[in-house]
Amino acid sequence: MAAGKQVIRAPAQLGMLLRCARREQGMNQQELALKAGGMSQARLYQLELQPGRLTVERLLLLLAALNLEVVVRPRQHAINPAEW
């Protein structure tokens, strides 16, 4: 993940962002899982692979542990929902 803003439009992109941010910060899954509220390493592994099952609460905990935040803004370009 390059430094700066990342646009997420699909769950798979979110999983990749979490995994890349964790690796860039030198954390393994166990370390991030503990820092993000004590979930298991196995649960974090599943969330990185299938982030569509991620709750908003858990997402915010993970982002805080990675020193990231959510920003909501209007889309820059019209996107067909089928592309999600």
Side-chain angles (χ1 to χ4, degrees):
M1 179 182 89
K5 298 177 184 177
Q6 299 293 319
V7 176
I8 303 296
R9 292 194 174 115
Q13 292 173 303
L14 178 58
M16 186 180 303
L17 177 130
L18 292 172
R19 185 173 42 258
C20 289
R22 173 180 58 76
R23 289 177 177 168
E24 283 181 2
Q25 294 182 33
M27 279 190 267
N28 62 37
Q29 289 177 334
Q30 182 66 38
E31 291 167 330
L32 178 56
L34 290 172
K35 191 173 179 180
M39 75 175 84
S40 71
Q41 178 273 330
R43 181 68 178 132
L44 179 59
Y45 171 79
Q46 287 300 316
L47 291 174
E48 285 183 355
L49 290 177
Q50 297 177 335
R53 298 183 152 273
L54 192 59
T55 66
V56 173
E57 179 180 12
R58 185 63 69 188
L59 173 61
L60 294 174
L61 286 169
L62 285 166
L63 292 175
L66 292 165
N67 199 30
L68 299 172
E69 63 187 358
V70 174
V71 175
V72 178
R73 64 179 178 139
R75 288 185 183 256
Q76 298 297 320
H77 304 285
I79 299 293
N80 180 347
E83 294 177 19
W84 297 0

